[in-house]
Amino acid sequence: MQIQPKIEQINGKQFLLLNDFIDADMLPAGDMGDVWLVNSTQGSKVKKFLRQVLRSNDRRVYLKPILLEDSIRPFLGVDAAIIGRLSDGYFEAMSPLKLATLIDQVHYYLNRFLNPVLPGMDQHERVLQYIFDLAYTRGSAIIPLRSHQSLTGYAYPRIDSFFFNIKDAYMNSRLILKKAAEEGFLVRTYHDTQHLCSDCNSGFLNYHEICPKCKNHNLKAMPLVHHFRCAYVGPESDFMLHDNMVCPKCSTALRNLGVDYDKPGKVFICKNQQCNHKFQEAPIRVCCVDCGKEHDPYELVVKKVYEYALAERGIQRYVYGAHGIKTEVNS
Amino acid sequence: MDNFWNQYLYTIAHVDFQTLWKWAWFIFLLDLPRYVVLEALILIYSRTRRILTREKWEEAREKLFAEMPLVTVLVPGHNEGKHLSRLVKSLQRQSYKNFELIVVDDGSTDETPIIGKSLEKKGDIDLFLRGEQRGGKASAANMGLRYAKGKYIVHLDADSSLAPDALEQVLTPFYRYDKVGAVGGNLVVRNENDSLTTTMQFLEYIQTISVGRMVVSKLGLYKIVSGAFGAFPKQLLMRLGGWDIGPGLDGDITVKIRKLRYKVLFEENALCLTHVPVTWKALTKQRRRWSRSLVRFRIRKHKDVWFPDRNFSLSNLLAFFENVFFGFVLDFMWIFYTVKIAVVEPQFLWFWFPFKYTVYLLLSLVQFIMALFVVNSPQDLLKKFIYIPLMPLYMGYYMRMVRTMAYVGELFFFESYKDVWNPVKTSKKAREYGM
Ligand SMILES: [Zn+2]
Ligand SMILES: [Zn+2]
Ligand SMILES: [Zn+2]
């Protein structure tokens, strides 16, 4: 099947409209247009397309500036943030000057290679090469994104896209970045700390206050009320008399919080009928949303999340080094 | 010095009994009969009765263990966390095992919540309750009472520890007699070797608590079940709505129990070791608080006891009378007479002070000997014999002065309502409603 490319001329640059390619699930050739413009409103298809772009072995494809048409923004839904990260952002937000610079930069970068197609590499090398190509031409860093479509709640959208399920994506992305940082190719800075399920690494956890006696988490919390005048202390329910608060000990009405009474704390009541335990300090149990495993908080896996930037040593290797650069060969 | 003694002995030998009687009638008429004759008689009576009714006591004890009711040990406190592990240990050694321990932390600002929570987690404390804002001792006790499950409530201070059979001993009277509303335990000073202050309190506690309370209890006049160690039926406490604002809340609740015509008993065999103030300054502060409550509760809040109405009870009146008379009237009388002597017959003071010292020294000696028959370890008490000569000064001058100052402060200036022992918010309300 052949697709007739639709090209628009804007500010002297060739914009390839991607709608038909996205519909047909096909990649355009690397030499089509200066910029690719996403004008499809089907979020999941757009995401799939962009992931294919970055897995391409053709540098001209995966380094191509890709912008999103502003009108599609409302249609992207849950995928909006990831699509934003897999592209170069919205057309509107990109000034013509910035765009021209990006196009030139990509052009200049591609020009240094004898062959725009990557040689056969193992997957980790392949991903790192992609990271350096992209971050170098964009002058950007690798910043984690909060996302509920990831295993832990944090994603590195471009790197994760090389893998086919969120579990692989989590394991491999972290491993690749960690090793590259250890070898001095990348520098990392702290971004956040996460607590993860000890069985499946999921970051989606449900925290329960539980009854220390029977572990039930169906609890009722009730504030304690202290009536100053007569020193009676009891749960708020002791004082309730048709919509009014009346002290059960001295039968006076309670009026002003802080003046004639206060609430010095709260008490939990276990709603398990066999237990009915009353207590103030409720231990926390953590239940994994994905696999259902129950933890005490200290059993959770604590992981740090980092941002990464290109290190000089990495630039020497991936940008100027190993895989053959024309200027070097020529000199 | 020789001269002084010569003079003293000469005066003793040639004392004019008429003058002596004029100035010291209350010593002969009140102090000596009450503290020596009455106490000795009742002590002998009470000890003999106890031995004669041995079997009944044993029966009561068996009844207690047959029923084995759940008992709540209730410990309210503010910044008392450091004492908790010691208290817990003394509870774990109890011969009576069916109890729950509820500790209430009244807005502590130190590490108390951390200690309490970890003891609760370990299971050493059954329920640790904390009020984030301090509410005063009464509110803390009431908070614990609200969640207590026991048939009896044993109220304890955090800085005390119990003898291994103390719980059993303090509960037995409930099974020995009917309609017992409260049982007070016997307090022994735990830190008697810390300072002279604590040594004097050690002797004082033996004299006024171990001996004194046994006597008033036998007379049916026992009126302050100490908050440091007292046991109550929970139903009764609930009926009274728990404790009212202190200071002196232990005395107050005892009065309320007595007004309902319940027996209030002292159990000398239920021993509680308590920590007393180490410095004179701290002791003075504590005693001023106690003394103010005499005015606040006996004279102001519970003034109905003094008047015959439908709730009138003679023993309540007598208990109040004894309390107010010996604690209050006599103190003022003592000062009045001393001042009067100084004005009317100043030369008599030369005789007056040594004479009084001699009398009270003899009185202390007699009381010391009586105490030797009562205490658990007379040999420990004997070691403190050399401090007896200080007792007349401690009891007769120091305590009197502190008490009188407190009475005046409370009578005319309502000082107890300003005491930071209670939070301002509650004192304000207490004053407003005459509590
Ligand atoms: Zn429960
Ligand atoms: Zn009230
Ligand atoms: Zn899991």
Side-chain angles (χ1 to χ4, degrees), chain B residues 16-64:
Chain B
D16 164 12
F17 275 99
Q18 211 138 29
T19 322
L20 196 57
W21 182 256
K22 188 171 122 198
W23 296 118
W25 61 271
F26 58 92
I27 296 180
F28 298 117
L29 225 52
L30 297 169
D31 277 9
L32 290 182
R34 179 191 186 276
Y35 289 110
V36 181
V37 182
L38 192 66
E39 279 195 359
L41 286 177
I42 289 169
L43 207 60
I44 293 163
Y45 171 76
S46 150
R47 297 304 273 188
T48 325
R49 286 278 312 159
R50 191 75 183 223
I51 294 165
L52 291 178
T53 55
R54 226 176 20 232
E55 274 162 31
K56 287 222 161 112
W57 283 97
E58 186 49 39
E59 240 170 66
R61 187 181 164 277
E62 277 163 15
K63 244 160 84 186
L64 166 69

Side-chain angles (χ1 to χ4, degrees), chain A residues 211-216 219 270-272 275-277 279:
Chain A
C211 167
K213 269 219 175 121
C214 73
K215 313 274 180 228
N216 175 24
L219 308 177
C270 174
K271 302 275 272 181
N272 172 359
C275 175
N276 257 320
H277 186 45
F279 54 96

